[in-house]
Amino acid sequence: MIFGGKGFFIGAFHAVKNRVANMDLLIALGTSTAYLYSTFVVFFPGVLPVDEKNVYFEVSAIIIAFVLLGKYMEEIIKTRSSAAIRKLIDLKPQTARVVRDGAEVEIPAESIMAGEMVVVRPGEKIPTDGNVAEGHSSVDEKMITGESLPVEKQTGDEVIGGTINKVGSFKFIATRVGADTTLSQIIKMVEEAQLSSSKIQRLADRVASYFVPAVIGVALLAVVVWAALGNPERVIFSFVGVLIIACPCALGIATPAALMVGVGKGAELGILIRGAEYLERAEKLNTIVFDKTGTLTRGEPEVTAIVPQPGVGSDEVIQLAAVAEKGSEHPLGEAITKRAKMAGVDVAEAEAFEAVPGQGVRVVYGGGEVLVGNRRMMAGADINIADRETDISALEEEGNTVMIVAREGNLAGLIAVADTLKENAADVVTGLQEQGVEVIMLTGDNERTARAIAAAAGIESVISNVLPGDKARTIKELQAEGKVVAMVGDGINDSPALAQADVGVAIGSGSDVAKETGGIILVKDDLRDVIKGIRLSRATMRKIKQNLFWAFIYNSVGVPIAALGLLNPIIAAAAMALSSLSVVSNSALLKRVNV
């Protein structure tokens, strides 16, 4: 009895002093009060005008039983809701075969070291990330990338840990091991997102921190009123009932439960969400900005036309361009070097190389300067292209990007390079517009080419001729107009814009820098996941708001009834357990949402 009373006062004191939202405090106080009251009636009969049959030992036991039942049911639903993480963890193989001292040995998969040769046989899971060194096979990657068909792997190709080798045997060099593998990073990202806190969660926690001492105050007030009215049994009923039914468990788990399910469902769909705040922001998006090359388009352009100057051959033009672009990693440069190889043209090394962001490349070859770039680069070098402006415009209106080639201050020719839209790009744009989202295309290309690609995708708003360093500034300008902006990109040059946007959406096949910067990562490289991500975020936020509404309504209705002494503590305990269960169950319904 003494210890129970001491616990009551210490708990109440700390709740009031620190405004701690301890979800178990109110239950403990209510149960302890019922137990102490029962003990007092038994050992000091006649002091209180209550029959011994009205003691509350059984009430204490039943309250605890209901609380434990509610907690047990919550854990079952939470466990089912976190199935996404368990599925990812199950992808990790337990053992691996590596080549050490010239012999194959089987070791635990976590013991693989970077640079080791790993052997994979048909039907086995690939134990870590790496690059194929010997052999070839087809690999089932759908559990990571969502690719439905097996992907052919040959020497030099990348393999991902956790994927399944189908037919052939091969050896690969481990490049990322342990916590650095793609699968481990995905698991870590999902776990951190499920544990993260959003603004609405912090608001609920703040409300709960004031709610606990307020409820204790209401319970004490009910005690004073009923004691003054000379009804000791109502004193206990009201005090215990208020403390138990007002337990803010439902309020406390309303947001985390929905976030856990929402983030888990996103992982199953190949949509990795870095934190709760990105779900919250994604719900409010009204503008989405797409990068062009590699995002809306396949990022695999091809040379469609070569227009040489009089007296210059087509092979010479492609040779000059290929020499200049040999040191470039830009998709347009790769298209040019690929065409040069197909034409059997010898591509020598340039004597000097300089990339000019947003303009092109400048190299020294054969003792002279060679330029390959756009109008801005030619204007800066005082190279006259006026007599070719008609040809350039005609090619651009067809959706080509035109690379202008100049040698030693003179125009040598034009190379037209075209990229095709990704599958479903136009459907995605239409779907976003139907949801009331403005779609903008952002590109460093000239306006004619940009508008030709945008028209094919159904995009009306185009921002062209943007230098890589100015993309973030463009996003900031859109935000200054009151727009909530998402940026979808894949390249290193998109990273500043991804960071500046309210929500950065990185394409899974893009650069590591872009993926590190993005708040949402589309593992499957499928633009349709942009729409799914928005729908999922909105569905998750709806569940959170529903949970908070019912949690508040439940307490608003239950506390006054309990304070009037009209609520049996056993019923209060059952209602409290059911309230938490209803919040978790409502959140679990997110798994059935069709996005």
Side-chain angles (χ1 to χ4, degrees):
M1 179 175 177
I2 293 174
F3 289 118
K6 182 179 179 181
F8 172 89
F9 287 113
I10 290 176
F13 172 75
H14 282 290
V16 174
K17 180 182 177 183
N18 301 319
R19 296 195 295 269
V20 177
N22 187 339
M23 302 310 169
D24 298 321
L25 175 61
L26 299 185
I27 300 173
L29 290 177
T31 307
S32 298
T33 300
Y35 182 82
L36 289 172
Y37 176 81
S38 303
T39 304
F40 190 86
V41 170
V42 170
F43 286 100
F44 302 99
V47 175
L48 294 176
V50 180
D51 295 334
E52 289 188 11
K53 64 181 181 180
N54 290 331
V55 296
Y56 297 106
F57 287 121
E58 76 285 357
V59 173
S60 303
I62 294 174
I63 288 173
I64 293 172
F66 272 125
V67 171
L68 293 176
L69 177 62
K71 294 290 184 181
Y72 175 70
M73 296 301 293
E74 281 180 36
E75 289 303 317
I76 290 177
I77 295 177
K78 287 179 182 178
T79 300
R80 291 177 180 175
S81 299
S82 59
I85 292 181
R86 293 201 314 278
K87 288 179 181 177
L88 289 172
I89 293 175
D90 289 343
L91 293 177
K92 290 185 174 182
Q94 300 301 310
T95 60
R97 267 184 298 274
V98 299
V99 178
R100 291 182 177 177
D101 298 326
E104 290 185 17
V105 294
E106 188 169 308
I107 63 172
E110 61 268 20
S111 299
I112 300 174
M113 295 183 292
E116 279 197 303
M117 182 76 75
V118 184
V119 181
V120 184
R121 295 173 181 172
E124 293 182 342
K125 288 182 179 179
I126 297 172
T128 191
D129 297 356
N131 294 316
V132 177
E134 298 178 20
H136 60 86
S137 182
S138 59
V139 177
D140 183 356
E141 297 183 341
K142 64 175 175 289
M143 64 289 297
I144 300 293
T145 66
E147 178 64 49
S148 57
L149 297 176
V151 180
E152 295 297 322
K153 299 292 182 180
Q154 298 178 350
T155 302
D157 289 343
E158 182 181 11
V159 291
I160 304 172
T163 56
I164 302 173
N165 182 32
K166 298 297 288 184
V167 289
S169 297
F170 64 90
K171 296 179 181 179
F172 71 92
I173 302 296
T175 55
R176 290 190 294 267
V177 298
D180 295 329
T181 65
T182 301
L183 181 58
S184 294
Q185 289 295 316
I186 290 174
I187 293 172
K188 179 181 177 183
M189 197 180 302
V190 174
E191 288 176 336
E192 289 178 348
Q194 290 186 335
L195 294 174
S196 62
S197 176
S198 63
K199 288 183 179 179
I200 196 169
Q201 170 65 38
R202 291 190 289 272
L203 175 61
D205 290 343
R206 185 176 178 82
V207 170
S209 70
Y210 288 95
F211 179 81
V212 171
V215 166
I216 294 176
V218 171
L220 292 174
L221 179 62
V223 168
V224 172
V225 172
W226 285 116
L229 295 174
N231 193 331
E233 190 165 347
R234 283 290 177 91
V235 168
I236 299 301
F237 263 78
S238 61
F239 186 75
V240 174
V242 168
L243 292 180
I244 293 176
I245 199 167
C247 173
C249 296
L251 181 63
I253 63 174
T255 302
L259 286 176
M260 182 172 62
V261 180
V263 171
K265 183 175 179 65
E268 291 178 357
L269 295 172
I271 304 170
L272 301 182
I273 302 164
R274 285 191 176 276
E277 68 271 21
Y278 296 109
L279 273 176
E280 196 166 26
R281 294 177 197 169
E283 181 208 17
K284 302 174 183 177
L285 289 176
N286 54 32
T287 304
I288 292 187
V289 179
F290 284 95
D291 171 52
K292 180 178 77 70
T293 305
T295 302
L296 281 175
T297 64
R298 296 182 183 277
E300 299 174 358
E302 295 182 352
V303 174
T304 57
I306 301 173
V307 184
Q309 283 289 91
V312 181
S314 296
D315 285 351
E316 186 178 355
V317 174
I318 197 68
Q319 182 187 42
L320 291 171
V323 168
E325 294 287 357
K326 190 175 182 179
S328 172
E329 295 181 354
H330 195 282
L332 299 181
E334 292 177 2
I336 290 173
T337 54
K338 180 180 178 181
R339 178 60 177 268
K341 290 178 181 178
M342 291 174 60
V345 174
D346 180 45
V347 181
E349 293 287 341
E351 298 165 22
F353 174 87
E354 179 189 2
V356 183
Q359 296 186 28
V361 295
R362 178 186 289 111
V363 301
V364 176
Y365 172 61
E369 185 180 62
V370 176
L371 304 179
V372 180
N374 55 23
R375 291 180 178 86
R376 190 182 293 119
M377 172 166 271
M378 299 302 130
D382 294 325
I383 295 174
N384 185 10
I385 59 172
D387 61 336
R388 284 295 188 184
E389 188 59 49
T390 301
D391 294 330
I392 295 173
S393 298
L395 290 168
E396 289 174 342
E397 287 173 359
E398 295 173 0
N400 294 286
T401 296
V402 179
M403 309 292 287
I404 306 170
V405 183
R407 178 179 56 186
E408 298 181 2
N410 297 310
L411 182 65
L414 311 174
I415 299 178
V417 181
D419 198 359
T420 57
L421 280 175
K422 284 183 178 178
E423 186 181 5
N424 303 314
D427 293 337
V428 169
V429 171
T430 301
L432 290 170
Q433 291 170 341
E434 289 176 350
Q435 293 186 35
V437 178
E438 180 185 6
V439 180
I440 300 173
M441 189 176 80
L442 181 65
T443 179
D445 252 337
N446 64 81
E447 187 171 356
R448 285 195 186 92
T449 301
R451 290 204 172 275
I453 296 294
I459 300 175
E460 297 179 2
S461 300
V462 178
I463 303 175
S464 57
N465 292 305
V466 180
L467 294 174
D470 293 334
K471 287 186 176 182
R473 179 180 55 79
T474 303
I475 298 296
K476 187 179 292 187
E477 290 173 354
L478 293 172
Q479 291 170 326
E481 298 173 8
K483 297 176 179 179
V484 183
V485 183
M487 171 70 189
V488 186
D490 70 317
I492 294 175
N493 61 345
D494 296 324
S495 300
L498 290 171
Q500 176 61 44
D502 296 285
V503 179
V505 182
I507 302 298
S509 61
S511 70
D512 289 341
V513 176
K515 287 185 282 188
E516 284 295 323
T517 308
I520 297 177
I521 301 173
L522 309 182
V523 176
K524 296 187 292 186
D525 195 16
D526 189 340
L527 287 179
R528 289 175 296 183
D529 287 344
V530 174
I531 296 180
K532 291 180 181 179
I534 294 175
R535 288 176 178 167
L536 178 61
S537 66
R538 290 177 176 174
T540 303
M541 294 307 297
R542 278 198 303 270
K543 287 296 181 185
I544 290 174
K545 292 172 182 177
Q546 289 170 9
N547 291 346
L548 290 174
F549 172 79
W550 288 113
F552 276 114
I553 289 296
Y554 162 82
N555 284 299
S556 299
V557 174
V559 170
I561 295 175
L564 292 173
L566 302 176
L567 196 62
N568 188 296
I570 295 177
I571 297 176
M576 182 276 299
L578 288 173
S579 69
S580 299
L581 190 60
S582 65
V583 165
V584 180
S585 300
N586 185 47
S587 300
L589 292 176
L590 264 175
K591 293 181 69 67
R592 299 185 180 182
V593 172
N594 183 17
V595 295

